[in-house]
Amino acid sequence: LEEIGLPVYREELERSDSDAEKPNFIYKSHRGGIFFHTFPDPGGQRDHYISIEPSIEHPQIREIMTDIEDAMLDYTDELESSRGDEQLGLVLEWCIDTIFKQKPTMSLEDIYALPVIDPDAESEPEDEKDESEAGLDEAVAEAAAVAAGEEQGGGTAVATDVPAKKPKIKKKGGLFSKFMGSGKGSRIDLESKWKLTQLDIEGIKYQLVKEKVGVGVLQPLINDHWIEDISCSGVGRMFIEHKVFKSMICSFGYKDDDELDEHVLRLSERIKKPVTFRAPVVDASLPDGSRINIVFGRDVSLTGSNYTIRKFADDPISVLNLIRWKSISSEAAAYLSLCIEDGMNMFVSGETASGKTTLMNALTVFVPPNAKIVSIEDTAEVQVPHPNWLREVVRKAKPGEGDSGVGMFDLLKAALRQRPELIIIGEIRGEEGLIAFQGMQTGHPVMATFHAASVQKLIQRVVGDPILVPKNYVDNLNLCVIQEGVRLPSGDHGRRCTSISEIVNYDSLSDSFSFVEVFTWDPVTDVLEFTGMNNSYLLEQRIAPARGYPPARRRQIYSLVKRRARILDKLVNTGISDYQETFDVISKATSDGVF
C-alpha cells in the first residue's frame, strides 16, 4: 500500500486506463462472477495479472469432491437434459445448491428456457416493427439528413433483445457418466459432514463448473474479454497480451511437467483434437471460438508442452468503432463500401496480429444484406452478420486415414458451385490461392486475408511457390488493404490501416505490375489521407460506369464517397457501436436509398 496505493475499482475498464503510470486496477469480468487485478511490477518488466476467484482451501478437498460426484449421480437426468455449455454449467450449479440444501439462484425451467445457439434451427417469423426498428429508423433518418446537408439532433439507435423461443429439452445419454462412474448417489448432509462454510460451498461450485464444463486454469482468462492472447511457454507462470495494459504475467501457471502435460491432454480432448506423441501439434478452436495451437511433449519442444491462444471478441468489432478508434478513416470505409458493393476483389494483408481478420469482419457490413456468402477457413474466425451465410471449415485427415481430410482447396472448389455473391477465405496460404484467382475470373467476388507487409510483397508471394498464381491472373485482384501494428505519434502501440492500393494491370512486356495507392497513413499526424482523390482507377473506370455515370460525369463518384463518409461520421457520433446494429442501420439506409 505504501509503494503502490489502493487499487482503483472499475466496473468496466476504459482504454484511457492504459495511460496510467502504474496500472493498479481491479475490474469485473463480463461473465463468471470473477474479478481481475492488474498490479504494477516495481522492476518495470511485466506488470502482474491476478484473477480473483471463489476458492476453497480444505485439507480434505479430494474426499469432498468424491462425495459430491457420488451425490450428483441422482441428478444425471437433469444434467443430460441441458444443451450447450452455458446451460450445463447452470444445471451443475443447481445440482450443487440442491445437494447442499440451498435455494438455487435459477429454477431448472428457467435454465432450460435459456436460448441455445442452434445453426439448424429455423428462424422465427418477424413481428411488426419493434423498438429496435424504431431505433434504426431514427439513425437512418439522421443519416438522410446528413446526406441532404441538413442538421438534426443526435439520437442513438437502441436495439432490444427479441425473446428467445423456449427450446425442447432433449436427453443426451452418457454425458456425465464418463467422469462420475455409476451407482446411487449419497444423500448424507455433506455440509455438516465436512463442516463447510457458505464461502466453501461457493468455491466448490465455481471450481467444479470450471473443471467439468470450462477449461480449468484457463477459464478466468477465457472469461476476460480484455485479453487478446494467452501464452503458456512451459512450466511456470503464463503470459497474456492485454488490450489495455499490453504484455503481462499471470499469477498462476503450472508447477511441473506432469501437471502441464495432464492439462494439455485434457484440453485437447475437450476440443475433440487429442494430442499424442505421434501427432504432437494441434490447431483447433476452443468452445468460445478462440484459436489454440498446442505443442505436446519434449520430443518437439525442449521447454516441454506449450500452447498459445488467440482470443476473439464475443461480438466482432464494428466498422464504426474502427472509425471511432482511428484504425480506419470514414473516407476509406466509404470508399471500400462502394468497392465491396460493386463486387471488387479484395485482400486484407499484414503481419500476424495486425488486425486483418478484425478489419475484414467489420467491412462485411457493406455487403448487400440479401447476398449469399460462403466463408472458408482453416480455423473459424470470420464473422458475418448476413443470414444467408455458409460457414465452412477444413477437416484434417486422421492419423492413418490419408483420404479422410477436407482442405481449403476442396471447400473452395465446392463454393464455386454454390452460387455465392461473395466468397470469403480466412487466409490464403497455398494452392487454394490459385483457385481463388480462378474464381475471380469467373465473376465470383473474393475477400481474403493474407500475410504480406506491402503490395509488392503480396504480389511476390502470390506468384511464388507454393501459391503459384500466373502473373497475368494477378490483376483480377482489385484491392490490397494493408493493416499494420504501428507506433502512434503519442508513442503508444496501435493498429492502423496504413494503405489501400488498387491493382490496375500486368504489363507482360516489362514484366511489371501497375498499382495506385489511393489511401496512405501519415505516421506524423496519424491520419489516413485520401491521396487518390480524383485519381482512382476503380472509382472512375470500373465503379462509376457500372453505376450509370456517363464519361463526362464520372468524377462525381467522389461526391458519393464524401457523402457516405459524412453519414458514417454521423453514425459514429450517435454512439452506435454494436456490430449487428451497425449492419442493420447500414442495410436499412441502403434499402432506403440514403447510403
Side-chain angles (χ1 to χ4, degrees):
L1 288 177
E2 292 177 356
E3 294 180 4
I4 307 297
L6 284 171
V8 177
Y9 177 71
R10 289 273 195 264
E11 190 73 18
E12 177 67 45
L13 279 180
E14 301 172 3
R15 291 186 179 265
S16 59
D17 290 334
S18 61
D19 298 332
E21 184 178 350
K22 296 181 177 180
N24 191 13
F25 295 93
I26 290 178
Y27 64 95
K28 187 177 181 180
S29 170
H30 274 194
R31 53 185 176 178
I34 56 178
F35 299 82
F36 305 101
H37 184 193
T38 61
F39 189 79
D41 178 20
Q45 295 182 355
R46 287 180 186 262
D47 293 329
H48 297 271
Y49 178 90
I50 305 166
S51 65
I52 306 173
E53 309 170 76
S55 62
I56 175 171
E57 297 295 333
H58 195 288
Q60 294 172 293
I61 184 62
R62 290 184 180 274
E63 292 83 352
I64 294 172
M65 298 303 289
T66 300
D67 277 357
I68 290 172
E69 292 189 347
D70 287 343
M72 211 173 293
L73 288 169
D74 288 340
Y75 304 98
T76 53
D77 287 345
E78 289 83 355
L79 290 164
E80 290 174 354
S81 295
S82 60
R83 299 188 302 157
D85 287 347
E86 182 181 5
Q87 280 192 12
L88 182 56
L90 291 171
V91 173
L92 196 54
E93 290 181 359
W94 178 90
C95 292
I96 298 296
D97 286 332
T98 306
I99 289 170
F100 285 103
K101 301 178 176 58
Q102 309 230 336
K103 184 179 179 181
T105 54
M106 288 182 70
S107 68
L108 280 177
E109 183 179 7
D110 290 339
I111 293 172
Y112 292 147
L114 291 173
V116 178
I117 298 174
D118 184 1
D120 299 324
E122 294 183 1
S123 58
E124 296 284 335
E126 293 185 2
D127 296 329
E128 295 182 0
K129 184 179 291 186
D130 58 11
E131 290 182 29
S132 62
E133 291 190 9
L136 299 185
D137 286 340
E138 183 180 350
V140 172
E142 290 193 14
V146 174
E150 300 173 3
E151 289 292 329
Q152 289 189 3
T156 302
V158 179
T160 57
D161 292 330
V162 179
K165 185 178 179 181
K166 235 179 184 180
K168 294 180 180 179
I169 306 305
K170 296 181 181 179
K171 294 262 184 149
K172 298 182 289 184
L175 182 61
F176 268 70
S177 60
K178 293 180 181 178
F179 62 79
M180 285 186 180
S182 59
K184 186 171 178 59
S186 172
R187 290 192 177 277
I188 62 175
D189 189 346
L190 298 182
E191 185 175 357
S192 300
K193 175 183 176 181
W194 297 108
K195 296 181 175 55
L196 300 175
T197 66
Q198 182 61 37
L199 287 177
D200 290 335
I201 295 172
E202 290 300 318
I204 288 172
K205 188 190 303 183
Y206 174 81
Q207 295 296 330
L208 194 63
V209 173
K210 184 173 82 169
E211 293 296 329
K212 302 298 186 184
V213 182
V215 286
V217 68
L218 291 175
Q219 196 58 45
L221 303 179
I222 298 298
N223 286 346
D224 188 358
H225 70 290
W226 288 106
I227 290 180
E228 290 185 332
D229 292 84
I230 304 167
S231 176
C232 168
S233 302
V235 174
R237 293 195 283 173
M238 299 166 61
F239 301 90
I240 64 166
E241 190 70 24
H242 200 278
K243 291 181 181 178
V244 176
F245 304 117
K246 308 310 176 186
S247 296
M248 307 185 81
I249 186 169
C250 295
S251 59
F252 47 88
Y254 302 95
K255 298 188 296 291
D256 50 47
D257 285 309
D258 291 340
E259 182 186 8
L260 174 57
D261 290 346
E262 181 184 356
H263 185 246
V264 165
L265 287 171
R266 289 178 55 202
L267 183 61
S268 66
E269 291 171 358
R270 175 80 170 86
I271 59 180
K272 300 178 182 178
K273 293 285 184 69
V275 291
T276 62
F277 288 108
R278 182 178 179 182
V281 180
V282 164
D283 286 297
S285 296
L286 292 176
D288 74 321
S290 301
R291 187 173 68 191
I292 182 170
N293 170 265
I294 299 175
V295 178
F296 176 65
R298 290 181 172 274
D299 290 348
V300 291
S301 174
L302 298 181
T303 57
S305 300
N306 61 81
Y307 56 83
T308 303
I309 296 173
R310 289 285 310 280
K311 283 191 62 182
F312 301 101
D314 294 334
D315 296 314
I317 297 174
S318 70
V319 69
L320 298 181
N321 269 341
L322 293 181
I323 295 171
R324 190 174 287 118
W325 300 336
K326 299 180 69 175
S327 181
I328 191 172
S329 69
S330 56
E331 274 189 334
Y335 165 84
L336 291 174
S337 72
L338 287 172
C339 294
I340 291 170
E341 281 183 14
D342 283 55
M344 300 294 108
N345 301 302
M346 180 177 73
F347 280 5
V348 180
S349 184
E351 68 268 18
T352 301
S354 60
K356 302 184 297 296
T357 304
T358 298
L359 177 59
M360 187 170 69
N361 286 340
L363 294 176
T364 57
V365 299
F366 297 126
V367 179
N370 59 350
K372 178 180 181 180
I373 299 174
V374 177
S375 66
I376 301 164
E377 303 172 83
D378 189 7
T379 303
E381 297 177 28
V382 171
Q383 293 288 333
V384 174
H386 298 66
N388 193 5
W389 170 32
L390 298 179
R391 192 178 195 185
E392 299 177 344
V393 294
V394 304
R395 184 185 71 196
K396 293 186 177 179
K398 296 180 181 179
E401 299 180 14
D403 297 331
S404 64
V406 178
M408 294 184 73
F409 184 79
D410 304 305
L411 294 175
L412 190 51
K413 286 195 296 183
L416 296 177
R417 304 187 186 100
Q418 293 167 344
R419 298 186 63 185
E421 275 79 22
L422 175 66
I423 297 174
I424 298 177
I425 304 174
E427 184 181 339
I428 289 180
R429 296 186 182 94
E431 60 181 357
E432 68 274 2
L434 180 56
I435 294 295
F437 275 87
Q438 289 177 344
M440 295 176 193
Q441 284 189 309
T442 60
H444 291 83
V446 173
M447 290 176 65
T449 59
F450 199 86
H451 276 277
S454 65
V455 181
Q456 294 92 332
K457 287 182 169 43
L458 182 146
I459 293 174
Q460 289 172 8
R461 282 203 62 205
V462 164
V463 300
D465 192 47
I467 302 176
L468 295 175
V469 172
K471 291 182 178 180
N472 57 344
Y473 282 20
V474 173
D475 59 4
N476 287 288
L477 177 63
N478 306 116
L479 282 168
C480 178
V481 181
I482 301 296
Q483 180 78 8
E484 293 184 82
V486 298
R487 179 74 64 179
L488 301 176
S490 63
D492 295 331
H493 177 80
R495 293 182 175 97
R496 293 290 186 266
C497 172
T498 56
S499 72
I500 301 176
S501 300
E502 301 173 348
I503 297 178
V504 180
N505 61 28
Y506 167 67
D507 185 356
S508 58
L509 294 177
S510 61
D511 191 27
S512 61
F513 294 89
S514 300
F515 61 89
V516 179
E517 195 170 81
V518 290
F519 283 90
T520 305
W521 181 68
D522 186 344
V524 176
T525 60
D526 190 20
V527 173
L528 187 59
E529 298 176 350
F530 191 4
T531 54
M533 182 69 177
N534 296 322
N535 191 33
S536 167
Y537 167 76
L538 289 182
L539 288 178
E540 294 184 27
Q541 304 299 323
R542 298 286 299 274
I543 296 174
R547 289 176 176 259
Y549 287 79
R553 295 176 50 218
R554 284 181 183 172
R555 289 203 168 183
Q556 291 184 6
I557 192 71
Y558 296 100
S559 64
L560 180 56
V561 174
K562 295 289 186 182
R563 171 183 166 182
R564 288 194 172 191
R566 291 197 303 272
I567 292 173
L568 290 172
D569 283 332
K570 186 66 177 179
L571 291 176
V572 167
N573 293 333
T574 62
I576 297 173
S577 61
D578 180 74
Y579 179 72
Q580 186 64 45
E581 189 178 0
T582 300
F583 172 69
D584 293 339
V585 170
I586 291 176
S587 297
K588 188 165 182 59
T590 302
S591 64
D592 290 350
V594 174
F595 190 69

